[in-house]
Coordinates of all heavy atoms in Angstrom, one line a residue:
P87 N 210.3 -64.5 38.6 CA 209.4 -64.0 37.6 C 209.3 -65.0 36.4 O 210.2 -65.7 36.1 CB 210.1 -62.7 37.2 CG 211.0 -62.3 38.4 CD 211.5 -63.7 38.9
R88 N 208.1 -64.9 35.9 CA 207.9 -65.7 34.6 C 207.6 -64.8 33.4 O 207.0 -63.8 33.5 CB 206.7 -66.7 34.8 CG 206.9 -67.7 35.9 CD 205.8 -68.6 36.2 NE 205.9 -69.4 37.4 CZ 206.6 -70.5 37.5 NH1 207.3 -70.9 36.4 NH2 206.6 -71.2 38.6
A89 N 208.1 -65.3 32.2 CA 208.0 -64.5 31.0 C 206.7 -64.0 30.8 O 206.4 -62.9 30.5 CB 208.7 -65.1 29.9
E90 N 205.8 -65.1 30.8 CA 204.4 -64.7 30.3 C 203.7 -63.8 31.4 O 202.8 -63.0 31.0 CB 203.5 -66.0 30.2 CG 202.2 -65.7 29.6 CD 202.2 -64.9 28.4 OE1 203.0 -65.1 27.5 OE2 201.3 -64.0 28.3
S91 N 204.1 -63.9 32.6 CA 203.5 -63.0 33.6 C 204.0 -61.6 33.4 O 203.3 -60.7 33.5 CB 203.9 -63.5 35.1 OG 203.3 -64.7 35.4
V92 N 205.3 -61.5 33.0 CA 205.9 -60.2 32.8 C 205.1 -59.6 31.6 O 204.7 -58.4 31.6 CB 207.4 -60.2 32.6 CG1 207.9 -58.9 32.0 CG2 208.1 -60.7 33.8
R93 N 204.9 -60.2 30.6 CA 204.2 -59.7 29.4 C 202.8 -59.3 29.7 O 202.3 -58.2 29.3 CB 204.2 -60.8 28.2 CG 205.5 -61.2 27.7 CD 205.4 -62.0 26.5 NE 206.7 -62.5 25.9 CZ 207.3 -63.6 26.2 NH1 206.7 -64.5 27.0 NH2 208.5 -63.9 25.7
D94 N 202.0 -60.2 30.5 CA 200.8 -59.9 30.8 C 200.6 -58.6 31.7 O 199.8 -57.7 31.6 CB 200.1 -61.0 31.5 CG 198.6 -61.0 31.6 OD1 198.0 -60.4 30.6 OD2 198.0 -61.4 32.6
V95 N 201.5 -58.4 32.7 CA 201.6 -57.3 33.6 C 201.8 -56.1 32.8 O 201.2 -55.0 33.0 CB 202.6 -57.5 34.7 CG1 202.8 -56.1 35.5 CG2 202.2 -58.5 35.7
C96 N 202.8 -56.2 31.8 CA 203.1 -55.0 31.0 C 201.9 -54.6 30.1 O 201.6 -53.4 29.8 CB 204.3 -55.2 30.1 SG 205.8 -55.2 31.1
R97 N 201.1 -55.6 29.6 CA 199.9 -55.2 28.9 C 198.9 -54.5 29.7 O 198.2 -53.5 29.3 CB 199.3 -56.6 28.3 CG 200.0 -57.1 27.1 CD 199.2 -58.2 26.4 NE 199.0 -59.4 27.2 CZ 199.8 -60.5 27.2 NH1 200.8 -60.5 26.3 NH2 199.6 -61.5 27.9
L173 N 205.3 -56.9 39.8 CA 206.5 -56.5 38.9 C 207.7 -56.1 39.7 O 208.7 -56.0 39.2 CB 206.0 -55.3 37.9 CG 206.9 -55.1 36.8 CD1 207.0 -56.3 35.9 CD2 206.3 -53.9 36.0
A176 N 211.0 -58.2 39.7 CA 211.6 -58.3 38.5 C 212.3 -57.0 38.2 O 213.5 -57.0 37.7 CB 210.6 -58.6 37.4
L177 N 211.7 -55.9 38.3 CA 212.3 -54.5 38.1 C 213.6 -54.3 39.0 O 214.5 -53.8 38.4 CB 211.3 -53.4 38.3 CG 210.2 -53.2 37.2 CD1 209.2 -52.1 37.6 CD2 210.9 -52.8 35.9
V180 N 216.4 -56.3 37.6 CA 217.0 -55.7 36.3 C 217.8 -54.4 36.7 O 218.9 -54.2 36.1 CB 215.8 -55.3 35.4 CG1 216.4 -54.5 34.2 CG2 215.2 -56.6 34.8
I183 N 221.0 -55.7 38.1 CA 221.9 -56.4 37.1 C 222.5 -55.4 36.2 O 223.7 -55.4 35.9 CB 221.1 -57.4 36.4 CG1 220.8 -58.7 37.3 CG2 221.9 -58.0 35.2 CD1 219.7 -59.6 36.8
N184 N 221.7 -54.5 35.7 CA 222.2 -53.7 34.6 C 222.7 -52.3 35.2 O 223.2 -51.5 34.4 CB 221.0 -53.4 33.6 CG 220.6 -54.6 32.8 OD1 221.3 -55.6 32.8 ND2 219.6 -54.5 32.2
I220 N 207.0 -48.8 28.0 CA 206.5 -50.1 28.6 C 206.9 -51.3 27.8 O 207.4 -52.3 28.3 CB 205.1 -50.1 28.8 CG1 204.7 -49.0 29.8 CG2 204.5 -51.4 29.2 CD1 203.1 -48.9 30.1
D221 N 206.9 -51.1 26.4 CA 207.4 -52.2 25.5 C 208.8 -52.5 25.7 O 209.3 -53.7 25.8 CB 207.1 -51.8 24.1 CG 205.6 -51.9 23.7 OD1 204.9 -52.4 24.5 OD2 205.3 -51.3 22.6
D222 N 209.6 -51.5 25.9 CA 211.1 -51.6 26.1 C 211.3 -52.4 27.5 O 212.1 -53.1 27.6 CB 211.8 -50.3 26.1 CG 211.9 -49.7 24.6 OD1 211.6 -50.5 23.6 OD2 212.3 -48.6 24.5
A223 N 210.5 -51.9 28.5 CA 210.7 -52.5 29.8 C 210.5 -54.0 29.8 O 211.2 -54.9 30.4 CB 209.8 -51.8 30.8
E224 N 209.4 -54.4 29.0 CA 209.1 -55.8 28.9 C 210.1 -56.6 28.3 O 210.6 -57.6 28.9 CB 207.8 -55.9 28.0 CG 207.4 -57.4 27.7 CD 206.3 -57.5 26.8 OE1 205.3 -56.7 26.9 OE2 206.3 -58.4 25.9
V225 N 210.7 -56.1 27.2 CA 211.8 -56.8 26.6 C 213.1 -56.8 27.5 O 213.7 -57.9 27.6 CB 212.2 -56.1 25.2 CG1 213.5 -56.7 24.6 CG2 211.0 -56.3 24.2
E226 N 213.4 -55.7 28.1 CA 214.6 -55.7 29.0 C 214.4 -56.7 30.1 O 215.4 -57.3 30.5 CB 214.7 -54.3 29.5 CG 216.0 -54.1 30.2 CD 216.1 -52.6 30.8 OE1 215.2 -51.8 30.9 OE2 217.3 -52.2 31.1
I227 N 213.3 -56.7 30.7 CA 213.1 -57.6 31.9 C 213.3 -59.0 31.6 O 214.0 -59.8 32.2 CB 211.7 -57.4 32.6 CG1 211.6 -56.0 33.2 CG2 211.4 -58.5 33.6 CD1 210.2 -55.7 33.7
I228 N 212.7 -59.4 30.5 CA 212.7 -60.8 30.0 C 214.1 -61.2 29.6 O 214.6 -62.3 30.0 CB 211.8 -61.0 28.9 CG1 210.3 -60.9 29.4 CG2 212.0 -62.4 28.2 CD1 209.2 -61.0 28.4
E229 N 214.8 -60.3 28.9 CA 216.2 -60.7 28.4 C 217.1 -60.6 29.6 O 218.0 -61.5 29.7 CB 216.6 -59.6 27.4 CG 215.9 -59.8 26.0 CD 216.4 -58.9 25.0 OE1 217.2 -58.0 25.3 OE2 216.0 -59.0 23.8
A230 N 217.1 -59.6 30.5 CA 218.1 -59.5 31.6 C 218.0 -60.6 32.5 O 219.0 -61.1 33.1 CB 217.9 -58.1 32.3
L231 N 216.7 -61.2 32.8 CA 216.6 -62.3 33.7 C 216.6 -63.7 33.0 O 216.4 -64.6 33.7 CB 215.3 -62.0 34.5 CG 215.1 -60.7 35.3 CD1 213.9 -60.7 36.0 CD2 216.3 -60.5 36.3
G232 N 216.8 -63.6 31.7 CA 216.9 -64.8 31.0 C 215.6 -65.7 31.1 O 215.6 -67.0 31.4
L233 N 214.4 -65.1 30.9 CA 213.1 -65.7 31.2 C 212.6 -66.4 29.9 O 211.6 -67.0 30.0 CB 212.1 -64.7 31.7 CG 212.5 -64.0 33.0 CD1 211.4 -63.1 33.4 CD2 212.8 -65.0 34.1
E234 N 213.2 -66.3 28.8 CA 212.7 -67.0 27.6 C 212.9 -68.5 27.7 O 213.9 -68.9 28.2 CB 213.5 -66.4 26.4 CG 213.0 -64.9 26.0 CD 211.6 -64.8 25.4 OE1 210.9 -65.8 25.6 OE2 211.4 -63.8 25.0

Side-chain angles (χ1 to χ4, degrees):
R88 301 181 186 279
E90 188 49 45
S91 294
V92 170
R93 293 189 184 98
D94 195 37
V95 167
C96 287
R97 284 193 293 266
L173 196 59
L177 280 176
V180 171
I183 291 169
N184 292 346
I220 292 177
D221 286 348
D222 289 348
E224 176 186 318
V225 172
E226 183 178 20
I227 291 170
I228 290 172
E229 289 183 350
L231 301 183
L233 300 182
E234 290 287 12

